Amino acid sequence: MNNLNDFDFNTIEDYGEKFDFDQNEEPSIKSIMKRLQNIEMNNMDRNIKIQMLEIRDQVQNDKIKKLEVKDQVKSDRMLQMETENINCLNLIKQLETREQENRKKIQQIEANDFEKDQKIKQLEMRDQEKNAKIEKLEKSDHNKNKIIQLLLLNNQGSNIEPKPEKSSQKYDAWWSNDNDDNSDQEKKVFDWNFCDETFERYMTQEKEFSRNFLHKLYSNNGGVNWVDKTIIYLNDDTHQYELDYNGNLIHIDLSSNNLTGILHSYIGSVSYLTYLDLSENNLIGFIPKEIGMLINLRELFLNDNMFEGKIPKELSQLTKLIRLYLQRNQLIGKIPLELGNLYNLESLRLHTNRLIGNFPIELSNLSKLRILTAYGNSLTGTPPRIRNCNISV
């Protein structure tokens, strides 16, 4: 371009208007060269700008590609997540189906358990009725034995056998003498008046024994300070005691009556007792082992006193026991494993004492147990597993 022969003046004419050339004047070589330099510089700037734009465009294309790659990755991830979500939904449906099946099974099991519990209750009711009948028969048999002994004493030396003449005649009987086979049967009339008097005397003696027992309890356990003293008079108006038809003491309720002192061993002498409540008093000392002689006892309440020492293992002899309350005393030692023999027990309360050691595994034999409380002690280990039993430890 430095040589003017190589320059195309047509180009200058074409750009004359752009470069503000005066068409009537002939441009000078210097001005033309200067203009050309300016044009080249402008072209160079434009080329640089174009290159920069191309570079930028390339960079943007690279970014776009990267973004497309990322977008593709995200799309793949979304597809994967959607697939996983579908799998999760399917799994949830399966779990819901299983849960419904399990609920149906649980309902069936509960229904079966309810039926079994109802049958068990019916069997227990029948068992209790049978036990009550057996007790009545035993008491009746006991009374008959007493009468027979008294009759033997009255007819000592005679080998006679009572035989009622007619079932409707209660107080007459035939007495036969079997010493001679050929002799005529001798008809004798039995003195039933004597029998009635003897039985009445027996009932009076039993009632007197009950009265003496209550007087001992009164004199040895702070009777002068008792809240209710009507029990010692054996009045029918009090709820504190109950006698059976033979005059035997079968029910004692002296709860919240301000009893004091120790519980003596003669407590075991009232063998017909079925209910004993001495709770919420101020009794101290040991629980007498003779209490295990009350074999007819069904309910025993010694809670809320100040008894100390160990739980007597003789309590295991009370196999008819349904409720045993020993809570809130100062009892020490371990829970006797012999308590596992109380197979009729339904409620056992031992909480708030000073018991130690493990729970005896024998307690798991108490299939009828519904309530077991043992908190407030220093017991260790796992409590026994008893079906349908509410255990608080």
Side-chain angles (χ1 to χ4, degrees):
M1 291 292 262
N2 294 328
N3 192 353
L4 290 178
N5 295 324
D6 297 332
F7 183 74
D8 188 2
F9 289 98
N10 294 326
T11 306
I12 298 174
E13 291 177 358
D14 293 336
Y15 288 94
E17 186 178 357
K18 184 176 181 181
F19 296 139
D20 297 329
F21 288 134
D22 190 356
Q23 298 295 328
N24 297 323
E25 295 180 0
E26 184 179 354
S28 64
I29 294 175
K30 289 183 180 181
S31 61
I32 291 171
M33 293 298 293
K34 186 176 182 180
R35 294 295 181 181
L36 287 174
Q37 288 177 358
N38 290 333
I39 291 171
E40 286 180 357
M41 291 295 292
N42 290 332
N43 287 334
M44 289 178 64
D45 291 339
R46 287 174 182 172
N47 290 331
I48 291 171
K49 288 181 179 179
I50 290 170
Q51 289 177 359
M52 292 177 64
L53 289 173
E54 288 177 350
I55 292 171
R56 287 181 183 178
D57 189 56
Q58 184 65 34
V59 172
Q60 288 178 352
N61 289 332
D62 293 340
K63 288 183 179 179
I64 289 170
K65 288 181 180 179
K66 290 181 179 179
L67 291 173
E68 288 177 350
V69 172
K70 288 183 179 180
D71 188 57
Q72 184 65 34
V73 172
K74 288 181 179 179
S75 298
D76 295 339
R77 181 58 180 166
M78 288 179 65
L79 289 173
Q80 185 179 359
M81 292 178 67
E82 288 177 356
T83 306
E84 291 177 354
N85 192 18
I86 293 171
N87 294 332
C88 289
L89 291 175
N90 293 331
L91 183 60
I92 289 170
K93 289 181 180 179
Q94 292 177 1
L95 292 174
E96 288 176 350
T97 304
R98 290 180 184 176
E99 187 178 2
Q100 290 177 356
E101 293 175 355
N102 290 333
R103 285 179 180 176
K104 290 180 181 179
K105 289 181 181 179
I106 290 170
Q107 289 177 355
Q108 292 176 356
I109 292 171
E110 288 177 349
N112 293 334
D113 285 344
F114 180 77
E115 293 178 359
K116 289 179 181 179
D117 290 337
Q118 292 296 323
K119 290 181 181 179
I120 289 171
K121 287 181 181 179
Q122 291 177 0
L123 292 173
E124 288 176 351
M125 291 294 293
R126 292 178 184 175
D127 209 26
Q128 290 179 357
E129 291 175 358
K130 288 180 181 179
N131 289 334
K133 289 180 181 179
I134 290 171
E135 286 182 5
K136 288 182 180 179
L137 291 173
E138 288 176 350
K139 291 178 181 178
S140 177
D141 190 53
H142 177 74
N143 294 334
K144 288 179 182 178
N145 290 333
K146 288 282 186 180
I147 294 172
I148 290 171
Q149 291 176 3
L150 294 170
L151 291 175
L152 290 174
L153 290 174
N154 184 48
N155 298 285
Q156 192 172 9
S158 62
N159 297 322
I160 54 178
E161 181 180 354
K163 182 179 180 181
E165 182 183 15
K166 293 180 181 180
S167 59
S168 60
Q169 294 180 351
K170 182 178 180 181
Y171 298 106
D172 294 337
W174 288 103
W175 296 71
S176 61
N177 190 352
D178 297 333
N179 292 330
D180 188 2
D181 296 335
N182 296 325
S183 63
D184 295 334
Q185 292 183 348
E186 184 180 359
K187 191 181 293 184
K188 294 184 180 180
V189 179
F190 175 64
D191 189 2
W192 280 98
N193 291 327
F194 169 78
C195 178
D196 289 342
E197 292 175 0
T198 304
F199 186 68
E200 187 67 29
R201 194 182 307 117
Y202 165 72
M203 288 185 63
T204 303
Q205 290 176 353
E206 292 295 327
K207 195 170 183 178
E208 187 64 26
F209 171 80
S210 300
R211 183 181 287 108
N212 291 335
F213 170 79
L214 293 174
H215 275 285
K216 281 184 180 181
L217 203 63
Y218 177 86
S219 60
N220 292 324
N221 297 104
V224 293
N225 297 318
W226 285 8
V227 178
D228 189 349
K229 305 175 184 178
T230 54
I231 188 173
I232 63 172
Y233 306 111
L234 291 182
N235 294 327
D236 294 335
D237 297 333
T238 181
H239 69 283
Q240 294 180 318
Y241 84 100
E242 183 181 348
L243 301 177
D244 65 4
Y245 57 87
N246 290 327
N248 298 305
L249 197 60
I250 60 173
H251 181 107
I252 296 178
D253 184 357
L254 290 173
S255 59
S256 305
N257 207 34
N258 199 27
L259 274 70
T260 58
I262 63 174
L263 192 60
H264 290 276
S265 59
Y266 57 78
I267 190 70
S269 61
V270 281
S271 58
Y272 290 96
L273 204 61
T274 62
Y275 182 97
L276 177 60
D277 189 351
L278 302 178
S279 62
E280 299 180 10
N281 286 292
N282 297 308
L283 296 171
I284 61 174
F286 299 156
I287 297 175
K289 63 181 181 180
E290 287 78 9
I291 207 167
M293 299 172 63
L294 306 178
I295 57 175
N296 292 303
L297 204 60
R298 291 180 176 273
E299 297 177 86
L300 176 59
F301 304 95
L302 300 178
N303 53 288
D304 294 276
N305 282 285
M306 291 181 285
F307 286 116
E308 55 189 20
K310 297 181 178 181
I311 300 174
K313 62 182 180 180
E314 285 77 10
L315 290 176
S316 62
Q317 300 172 14
L318 309 179
T319 55
K320 296 181 181 179
L321 206 60
I322 297 175
R323 293 179 182 85
L324 176 58
Y325 287 14
L326 302 176
Q327 72 270 24
R328 287 189 289 272
N329 280 289
Q330 299 176 15
L331 300 174
I332 62 173
K334 299 181 179 180
I335 300 175
L337 55 89
E338 288 82 2
L339 294 185
N341 297 329
L342 302 177
Y343 51 85
N344 284 311
L345 202 61
E346 296 179 2
S347 180
L348 175 59
R349 298 183 183 270
L350 303 173
H351 61 269
T352 319
N353 279 288
R354 299 177 182 176
L355 300 174
I356 60 173
N358 294 325
F359 289 92
I361 193 173
E362 286 76 9
L363 293 182
S364 59
N365 298 330
L366 305 179
S367 58
K368 296 182 180 180
L369 197 64
R370 296 295 174 265
I371 298 175
L372 171 60
T373 62
Y375 57 87
N377 290 289
S378 298
L379 296 168
T380 57
T382 305
R385 293 184 179 180
I386 305 172
R387 186 178 180 183
N388 297 328
C389 182
N390 184 11
I391 301 177
S392 299
V393 295

